Amino acid sequence: MLGHRRLAALATAMAAVLAGLSLPAASPAEAAQGKWTGTWATAQHAAYDPGTSEVTVRIPVRVSAGGSSVRIRLTNDFTTEPVTIGHATVGLRDGGSAVTKPQQLRFGGKSEVTIPAGEQAASDQVRLTVPARSDLVVSLYFPGRLTHISQHWMGLQTVYWTPDGGGDHASDPEGDAFTRTDSTFPFLTGVDVQGGDAAGAVVALGDSITDGASSTANANRRWPDYLAGRLAVCSSTAGVLNEGISGNRITAGTDGNPSAPARLERDVLSQPGARTVILFEGVNDLSWGGATADQVIDGMKEIARRVHARGLRLIGATVVPYRGWGDWWTEAKEADRQKVNAFVRDGGVFDDYADFDKAVRDPDDPTRYGAAFDSGDHLHPNGTGMKAFADAVDLTTLGAARDCPSARVRLTPYQPSLQAGGKGSEITATVTNTGPRAVTQVSTRLDLPDGWTAEPAGSTRIRSLAPGNSATATWTVTPAADAAWGTHEVGVRTSFVQDGRTRHDSDSVDATVTPAPSEVRAPYLTTATTTEQPQYAQNGDQFAIWAGGQDLSGWKDEKAAVYLADAAPPSGTVAARVVGQTGSGPSAKAGIAVANDLTAPEAGGYAVLTMSAQFGLEFLTDSDGDGKLDTWAGGGSSYHPAWLKLVRDGTAYTAYASSDGTAWQQVATATVPSASGTGDAGLVASAVNLNYPGQITTALFDSFSSHE
């Protein structure tokens, strides 16, 4: 069915010693007797030639359910050649690419395994205590030339590699040998546990939304991750297996992305311990895929028939709104979406449904995402939307966990903004009883960063909360006076009594602390040439500039700056990081500046390196000492944060930029004949508001340095 099994691999397959090529799902009775339960999975769907030899890869994964033993599953799918793993280990992560006591993995008793093209291998059992919701690291060593990698490309997780020829480092506890990184999952397709309290596994079959597109990398904020978090606090939990592939469809597939029915056996029905499937697909079919509602419904019926034939439950998820995502939405396609969703809710095929559509749609325009849940592309949710999907799943319908907490707590606003030195902002916790019976002694408290304060508007305790009811508690939250500008986690925790036992639930949001105008402290100075009155702020090594200005180039030199006098040596480096820039037109600039005297650019030595709001890097210099920036280099796309660096060697200035502070791009070199002696160096911002009169830009910086 997948079309990529190769006859040429059969001879190799006959000779290979493989363990666990057939991996049937385990029933609850079998799970209780020590059968395997999937705790992490991904769907391999493509291959490429890495052009490397003698390398080791180290793959961190966040498991869902825990256990006392573990095994891994590897796949060599979508390939035409066998692959040999010469050495494999597994262990608990110790931060970054380090591992605590890596355990040797064997395959049929051997340390080496060769997997034919299109086949899989499962390792032998390893005794290892794996806590639920912990990070494991799988290391694989490839001897000789690695001709190809079978992969899941949207890993959203840093994966670590040794350099070409790096050799076998699978057993290294430390991670020093792993100097290269990418973000795809190579060969690894599953991790299974036994000996824990999991009553089976829930398989999420989906597309890019399930795969985690637009969620935060290395943060495990896909909706199946949030679902695993909810299940982890049940008395008996369940593994959650993410089988999402970006671009996946129900009605059609491609060579590197088989349709949901085509991959159903491989990615879903064969998962160890699978009890329930959540089907969340259809938006690609209905939008750019060109399918009709009836075709999507027919595909869902086929999946339901096959899932039920294997004794598994099937939960349908409604198709999310997508108006505004490119030009794909039409009235006719919206009618098809509504027809599919009516089938999911009332068609009688699914054992239950999760109303993802209702969870994130805008109540004022149900064809669109609500703003609080939209990542910005109008199809993929942000972290709040991912959490809303997980919340929309009724845990009692999964048949894979029991005795789960029935009260949930959620914080709003979803992305609160607090001003440093301000009067505080309101944050509200809402506790909802989703269970069939009342919960009592409900108590809610905030978890704040050090130095922050919260004043409740009323009581944070209630005696009883009836089924289906909600209660709120509101606080005025004030950040610490010296709180760093940027994102801070604010958490909430509620406790309650359910059926005579004290239970808990928690939530968190990313609160942004924004600067308020304040003094800039010595030895830093300020200067401005704008009509609009500039403002400044300093918080340790962080700086903010609110600036107007018609332009910062050529015939105009309108800017505001925070600077150090006599800080730019005749031979040395000036560097800063521009965190972000908001509030003005696309040409607004923020970056670093040097001059013999920044208060009088006509004194010579004048140069600036900035990142514009939308148009990329701009390196401007004064070629004749008249104080006008008359030479230019740069371009490209705009990005923030942006590391900027000017290296001076006498009258020669070389500009560099970086998106990560380690890999530097040389922008250009320019000669500034009027540069002499030690000059001024600082941070600069301009709104470039010639075409946007009166606009102010807000530029944020979180580092500045100048040294020989």
Side-chain angles (χ1 to χ4, degrees):
M1 182 177 292
L2 297 179
H4 50 263
R5 302 293 191 258
R6 297 292 190 266
L7 292 176
L10 291 179
T12 305
M14 295 295 292
V17 179
L18 300 174
L21 289 181
S22 178
L23 303 169
S27 69
E30 290 173 327
Q33 294 170 8
K35 297 296 183 180
W36 294 104
T37 297
T39 186
W40 178 91
T42 194
Q44 299 282 335
H45 62 100
Y48 70 98
D49 182 349
T52 192
S53 301
E54 293 287 336
V55 291
T56 307
V57 63
R58 185 155 275 182
I59 312 163
V61 298
R62 170 66 59 86
V63 302
S64 48
S68 57
S69 297
V70 66
R71 73 174 181 183
I72 69 169
R73 287 178 283 127
L74 304 170
T75 187
N76 191 25
D77 232 335
F78 298 95
T79 66
T80 59
E81 300 292 333
V83 65
T84 296
I85 289 92
H87 185 198
T89 64
V90 64
L92 294 174
R93 192 177 191 183
D94 192 23
S97 57
V99 184
T100 301
K101 297 179 180 178
Q103 302 294 307
Q104 307 298 314
L105 288 169
R106 294 185 176 276
F107 300 81
K110 298 181 179 181
S111 60
E112 180 176 292
V113 63
T114 297
I115 310 174
E119 298 296 341
Q120 295 188 22
S123 74
D124 301 338
Q125 173 182 348
V126 171
R127 297 288 297 177
L128 177 67
T129 299
V130 180
R133 306 286 291 147
S134 63
D135 289 339
L136 284 181
V137 176
V138 175
S139 301
L140 307 173
Y141 163 60
F142 305 96
R145 171 76 160 84
L146 182 57
T147 61
H148 62 275
I149 290 176
S150 181
Q151 64 165 345
H152 178 92
W153 74 266
M154 190 187 289
L156 293 173
Q157 170 67 59
T158 299
V159 172
Y160 304 89
W161 291 84
T162 60
D164 189 39
D168 182 4
H169 291 275
S171 291
D172 291 6
E174 66 280 354
D176 296 345
F178 297 87
T179 58
R180 296 189 299 121
T181 63
D182 64 19
S183 58
T184 67
F185 292 126
F187 297 104
L188 184 67
T189 193
V191 178
D192 308 326
V193 292
Q194 62 179 213
D197 60 3
V202 177
V203 186
L205 177 59
D207 50 36
S208 60
I209 301 176
T210 298
D211 210 2
S214 297
S215 69
T216 306
N218 293 310
N220 300 298
R221 292 184 176 182
R222 313 164 189 87
W223 73 261
D225 295 317
Y226 284 115
L227 179 61
R230 290 188 61 201
L231 287 166
V233 295
C234 300
S235 293
S236 67
T237 184
V240 179
L241 308 180
N242 189 331
E243 296 292 348
I245 300 178
S246 180
N248 203 231
R249 289 177 284 168
I250 293 174
T251 59
T254 64
D255 186 49
N257 197 338
S259 70
R263 66 188 184 96
L264 188 66
E265 179 67 36
R266 183 197 70 173
D267 291 343
V268 178
L269 301 180
S270 65
Q271 293 299 324
R275 296 287 296 145
T276 303
V277 181
I278 301 177
L279 175 61
F280 181 31
E281 295 217 26
V283 70
N284 291 328
D285 301 83
L286 297 174
S287 57
W288 56 267
T292 66
D294 288 339
Q295 289 171 323
V296 173
I297 290 169
D298 286 345
M300 289 180 167
K301 289 179 178 178
E302 177 191 347
I303 291 171
R305 176 183 57 79
R306 294 170 59 190
V307 168
H308 287 147
R310 297 289 282 271
L312 308 184
R313 292 178 60 78
L314 181 62
I315 308 298
T318 49
V319 180
V320 293
Y322 63 90
R323 189 173 186 175
W325 180 52
D327 297 323
W328 298 114
W329 186 91
T330 66
E331 292 282 359
K333 291 179 179 180
E334 177 63 19
D336 273 348
R337 187 178 75 89
Q338 295 298 340
K339 184 175 181 179
V340 170
N341 283 350
F343 170 76
V344 172
R345 295 181 180 112
D346 304 315
V349 167
F350 295 98
D351 297 292
D352 211 304
Y353 70 91
D355 208 336
F356 287 7
D357 168 43
K358 182 180 178 181
V360 298
R361 69 192 181 203
D362 184 343
D364 296 324
D365 183 358
T367 66
R368 299 179 183 272
Y369 266 82
F373 308 109
D374 192 350
S375 69
D377 68 5
H378 313 304
L379 172 67
H380 301 98
N382 57 20
T384 303
M386 291 289 188
K387 191 184 302 179
F389 289 156
D391 283 349
V393 177
D394 183 348
L395 301 186
T396 65
T397 69
L398 297 180
R402 61 178 178 83
D403 190 25
C404 301
S406 62
R408 274 183 258 160
V409 62
R410 290 294 177 256
L411 284 177
T412 54
Y414 300 115
Q415 295 174 314
S417 180
L418 303 93
Q419 190 173 62
K423 296 180 179 180
S425 300
E426 285 192 349
I427 293 180
T428 297
T430 301
V431 182
T432 303
N433 183 4
T434 63
R437 290 179 292 277
V439 297
T440 60
Q441 300 179 40
V442 183
S443 176
T444 308
R445 65 176 175 83
L446 290 182
D447 292 327
L448 300 173
D450 290 343
W452 291 37
T453 61
E455 291 294 330
S459 176
T460 61
R461 299 172 180 268
I462 60 171
R463 286 186 176 183
S464 180
L465 189 61
N469 284 7
S470 298
T472 61
T474 298
W475 295 263
T476 298
V477 176
T478 304
D482 59 350
W485 307 330
T487 300
H488 300 259
E489 183 176 85
V490 172
V492 66
R493 183 175 175 85
T494 189
S495 64
F496 52 93
V497 175
Q498 173 185 332
D499 297 330
R501 292 176 53 203
T502 300
R503 309 299 293 271
H504 303 277
D505 192 47
S506 61
D507 188 28
S508 65
V509 293
D510 289 334
T512 302
V513 176
T514 61
S518 62
E519 291 185 354
V520 172
R521 299 183 296 276
Y524 290 96
L525 305 169
T526 62
T527 185
T529 55
T530 59
T531 302
E532 302 85 358
Q533 183 66 35
Q535 292 180 300
Y536 310 92
Q538 181 182 359
N539 183 15
D541 294 332
Q542 296 179 301
F543 296 89
I545 301 175
W546 292 264
Q550 291 189 29
D551 207 347
L552 178 57
S553 177
W555 62 286
K556 291 285 186 182
D557 182 46
E558 299 186 3
K559 65 183 184 297
V562 175
Y563 73 100
L564 290 171
D566 300 324
S571 179
T573 299
V574 175
R577 188 171 87 142
V578 185
V579 177
Q581 188 173 14
T582 58
S584 61
S587 298
K589 298 177 175 65
I592 51 180
V594 296
N596 294 346
D597 182 349
L598 272 176
T599 66
E602 65 276 8
Y606 191 27
V608 300
L609 173 62
T610 65
M611 179 65 75
S612 71
Q614 294 183 22
F615 297 139
L617 292 160
E618 298 195 54
F619 175 40
L620 302 103
T621 58
D622 174 9
S623 67
D624 56 13
D626 65 355
K628 297 179 179 179
L629 297 167
D630 51 20
T631 65
W632 182 95
S637 60
S638 179
Y639 55 84
H640 294 91
W643 283 258
L644 305 177
K645 180 167 63 178
L646 279 175
V647 178
R648 179 185 173 189
D649 184 7
T651 59
Y653 291 177
T654 303
Y656 299 88
S658 172
S659 60
D660 60 8
T662 56
W664 291 89
Q665 162 201 356
Q666 181 172 324
V667 182
T669 296
T671 300
V672 184
S674 56
S676 62
T678 299
D680 298 343
L683 306 168
V684 63
S686 174
V688 189
N689 62 15
L690 181 63
N691 296 320
Y692 306 86
Q695 285 199 0
I696 300 294
T697 190
T698 302
L700 299 181
F701 310 82
D702 68 357
S703 67
F704 174 71
S705 63
S706 181
H707 56 85
E708 294 185 359

